[in-house]
Every structure is written in C-alpha cells, then in structure tokens.
Amino acid sequence: MAKTIAFPLNARVASMAATAREMTEAQTNACTEQQSLFEELLGFLEKNAKECLKEAMLPQMEFRMDTADLQSLLLDADAWLSNYQKNFTFRSADDENEYRLILNLHAQESEEEEKCKYLMNATLLAITDGRVRIFDYQAKQWDEDRDLQKYFEYMETGEAEAQYLTALADFFQTGVYFQNFGEVLASLRQMRPLIRLYRQLDGLARFEFVANGANELLILLVPADPHRLGCAVQCIGEQYAICQYFSGKEQKSTLPSWLADIFDTEEEEEYYLPGMLMGVCAERSANRVAQSLQYWWDHYTPEPTYTIPLSLKAAVQSPRPWEEPLVETLPDERELTPDEQQSLFRLCQFLNKKH
C-alpha cells in the first residue's frame, strides 16, 4: 500500500538546491518569490522522502532526485500556486537492488484556508533483475504480484500504453500507485482500440477522463493542442464514436458576444458553456479515423478554435461557432449529406443558434 500525506503550504526551508545557488544575484532578486516556493516544495519532498525511507528501513541509503524532476520543480514553481500535479523520482541502489521512491505531489486549492495545500502519495519500488516489488506501508513489508510486474513493464516502455496508464494515474491523483493493478490492466486491455488510434495520431491526441456519475468513467481521445476544441473520440466495443464535445470548461474568451455583453467581468470569470458529448458517426477502421483526424487536428491556431465534427468528412471550423458556424468538407465544397445536416442542426440548437 502506498503512503498518503497531506500538509498545508506554510513551511519555509532554509537550504537551496544547487540549481538555485548558481543563479546570479540579479536573477535571484528578480524571482525571489518563485525561488522561495521552490525551496519550500523541495524541502517538503526531501523531508517526506526521508520519512518514507525510514519506515521502509532504508534510512542510511542515499537517494537522489532525478535531475529532470529537480529542474522541472524549479522552472514550474509558479504552477504550484494552483491545482497542479507531478511525479518526482528519487533513486538509489545497493549490490542487489535498484530502489525508486516516487512522490506524487498534488497542489490543491483550499477554499476554507484560501491557500494551496499539498497531497502526496509515496510509492517505493525495489527492482532486482527486472523483478519488481512494492513496499506496503500499512503491513510494513515488501509485496510482489504479476499485475504489478506487468504494470511496471508497460510503464518502462514509454509507449502508448504507458501514456494511457500515466494519464489514468494523473486523473485519480495516485501517482504510480493503484489499489488494484489487475483492474487497471483490464481497463488497458479494454481500451486497446483507443490506444491504437492514439499511437497512429502520433502526438496529436491526448487521453481525457470524464466522471459520468458515481460509477462510470468516460475515456476519450481529444486534441493534444489545448487551442483545438469541440471534438473527441470514444471507443465503444471495437468501434470509434466520433463526437461533438464540450468539456464544460471553456474559457471566458470563447463566450459568444451576446453573453459577454450580459455579464460583467467578475461574473464572466465564472461562466462556462455547458458540457456535451454527442456522437455523430461510428467507424471500425482506425486508419480511416486517424486519416481524418490528422487533417482536422494537425493545424496551428493562435487562438482557441473549434473543430466540431459533423462526420469524418465534415466539420464546423470556427473560433466562435455560435456566431459563425463555418462548415468545411472533404472533398472541398460539396453539399452536406442528410446525416451531416442533422448533426449541424443539433449543434446549432446546443449553441442557441437558429438556422
């Protein structure tokens, strides 16, 4: 079992990492606040790493944080003032084992305290000739099982399966630890078609998880570009459902003008368009889906732009589709099919646009 720790943002640590010490005096003066937060976060990580290792009876071993994680902590310090999450890995080894302590740090805004607090999950692994064991902080013993071994092997590859498992862990805020690795692997097997499509899209997509009620989790592929909105792919059995998708988190900059005129600045900050997931077509071929999505998604846009599918061969392309639902088709300049016209009609109804 992993170790979970919660603590408020209130401590100050005097020591600084070597990266921070090497800053020039001018640089240090320019980013004092960021440096202070960096020191605080680093202090929390180091302190709790020592406590976790002591519980596992490894207090004398020297663990070092991965250099990339240390640099990320320094460069992203400002992000920790709001909701943010990342894994930090400490490593060590003896004559027989490699040890990895993974601390998943999650900054969470607290309404009661009006400041951030941190939640942390600790996972301690021992690796011996490719065999993986995990330390159970409740039972105070090392455990191993086939599901954990398989999970670790996937994570080591860095391939699409590892990206899926990492995204799933980030959604549940568990770091690399799950109570039941078997259920996680079963989810991975069920999502094979979606993972296959993710691999074919080659960096154009990311996994998104949406809680649909208490016991259902929707798993989607959405554009990796945060400026590309309005589309998602869901896997239903062996078929790909191409969907019109609004996450419910659209920024105020994407508000229709008739709404922006109604709300003042403070109210506008809190306004979001309602969430919606509406399938427009289904397709069995990952190749055909990937070919269409590569066309729709592989474009740079300097501002948020909606690419809302009407089918695999037609979409609304517009930064403000409620005002100007510009339709683009493949091939160019053809008439919409009846099904595409129906998809456009439903979309316009959702956007309160009458046509």
Side-chain angles (χ1 to χ4, degrees):
M1 178 174 290
K3 183 182 180 64
T4 302
I5 305 165
F7 44 87
L9 177 61
N10 54 16
R12 282 290 180 268
V13 179
S15 63
M16 295 171 57
T19 308
R21 291 195 190 98
E22 293 173 0
M23 288 183 173
T24 65
E25 183 177 353
Q27 290 173 317
T28 301
N29 292 335
C31 58
T32 301
E33 184 176 349
Q34 183 180 19
Q35 177 184 324
S36 178
L37 182 58
F38 164 71
E39 294 174 23
E40 183 172 337
L41 291 168
L42 182 61
F44 276 136
L45 288 166
E46 291 178 340
K47 175 185 176 182
N48 286 281
K50 291 178 181 178
E51 292 178 357
C52 292
L53 296 172
K54 184 177 180 181
E55 287 191 45
M57 293 173 288
L58 298 172
Q60 304 304 321
M61 297 192 66
E62 183 178 2
F63 278 69
R64 293 184 178 274
M65 185 190 294
D66 284 359
T67 302
D69 290 346
L70 183 62
Q71 292 173 342
S72 175
L73 181 64
L74 176 62
L75 296 175
D76 296 342
D78 286 345
W80 292 98
L81 295 173
S82 59
N83 289 331
Y84 194 67
Q85 180 175 236
K86 193 180 186 307
N87 289 335
F88 297 92
T89 300
F90 293 77
R91 299 176 190 264
S92 188
D94 56 23
D95 294 337
E96 299 181 354
N97 303 297
E98 174 195 350
Y99 294 98
R100 298 184 194 177
L101 175 64
I102 302 103
L103 301 182
N104 176 258
L105 191 61
H106 176 220
Q108 192 174 69
E109 293 179 355
S110 173
E111 295 181 359
E112 294 180 0
E113 300 177 6
E114 296 184 350
K115 59 182 178 180
C116 238
K117 68 176 182 179
Y118 295 126
L119 303 175
M120 190 173 72
N121 291 294
T123 304
L124 180 59
L125 302 176
I127 303 143
T128 309
D129 296 327
R131 181 171 61 93
V132 184
R133 293 171 293 149
I134 188 170
F135 187 74
D136 187 328
Y137 279 97
Q138 185 173 350
K140 307 297 183 186
Q141 65 184 26
W142 291 94
D143 294 330
E144 61 180 307
D145 63 52
R146 287 180 296 178
D147 291 333
L148 168 63
Q149 182 70 36
K150 191 66 176 176
Y151 175 90
F152 178 80
E153 290 171 1
Y154 277 127
M155 294 298 287
E156 287 293 277
T157 65
E159 299 292 335
E161 289 81 2
Q163 300 301 316
Y164 171 81
L165 294 172
T166 299
L168 188 64
D170 288 346
F171 176 78
F172 286 110
Q173 301 173 5
T174 60
V176 297
Y177 180 80
F178 291 95
Q179 291 285 347
N180 191 322
F181 286 99
E183 291 182 359
V184 173
L185 295 178
S187 167
L188 184 145
R189 288 190 292 271
Q190 186 179 7
M191 288 295 113
R192 287 287 188 197
L194 203 64
I195 294 171
R196 186 184 314 126
L197 179 60
Y198 171 87
R199 183 182 291 110
Q200 288 184 246
L201 288 171
D202 192 23
L204 293 178
R206 63 178 176 83
F207 295 103
E208 181 152 310
F209 301 87
V210 181
N212 186 27
N215 300 313
E216 185 179 6
L217 183 67
L218 299 179
I219 303 173
L220 310 172
L221 274 188
V222 299
D225 182 357
H227 285 173
R228 181 71 58 183
L229 308 169
C231 180
V233 181
Q234 186 180 15
C235 182
I236 302 176
E238 293 295 321
Q239 288 193 324
Y240 300 100
I242 313 304
C243 304
Q244 298 174 353
Y245 176 54
F246 291 79
S247 68
K249 301 177 182 177
E250 277 68 26
Q251 300 174 356
K252 68 173 184 177
S253 60
T254 63
L255 280 173
S257 59
W258 57 270
L259 280 175
D261 292 339
I262 296 174
F263 296 105
D264 62 28
T265 303
E266 292 184 2
E267 290 172 322
E268 190 179 340
E269 288 279 358
E270 299 176 357
Y271 185 83
Y272 296 93
L273 291 171
M276 185 265 278
L277 182 70
M278 177 71 71
V280 297
C281 64
E283 173 61 60
R284 286 186 174 274
S285 170
N287 290 335
R288 282 196 285 269
V289 175
Q291 184 178 11
S292 291
L293 294 184
Q294 284 165 351
Y295 176 83
W296 298 120
W297 293 0
D298 193 11
H299 302 284
Y300 170 76
T301 59
E303 62 177 335
T305 299
Y306 287 85
T307 300
I308 309 172
L310 306 177
S311 70
L312 274 179
K313 300 296 184 180
V316 170
Q317 292 257 50
S318 174
R320 306 177 80 86
W322 37 79
E323 294 180 352
E324 197 173 14
L326 301 175
V327 176
E328 186 174 343
T329 60
L330 296 173
D332 292 340
E333 298 181 0
R334 64 170 173 82
E335 294 293 326
L336 294 180
T337 67
D339 286 342
E340 291 168 346
Q341 290 177 4
Q342 182 64 25
S343 296
L344 178 60
F345 176 75
R346 289 201 306 263
L347 173 63
C348 291
Q349 282 187 317
F350 173 76
L351 297 172
N352 293 321
K353 186 75 175 180
K354 296 180 180 180
H355 291 273

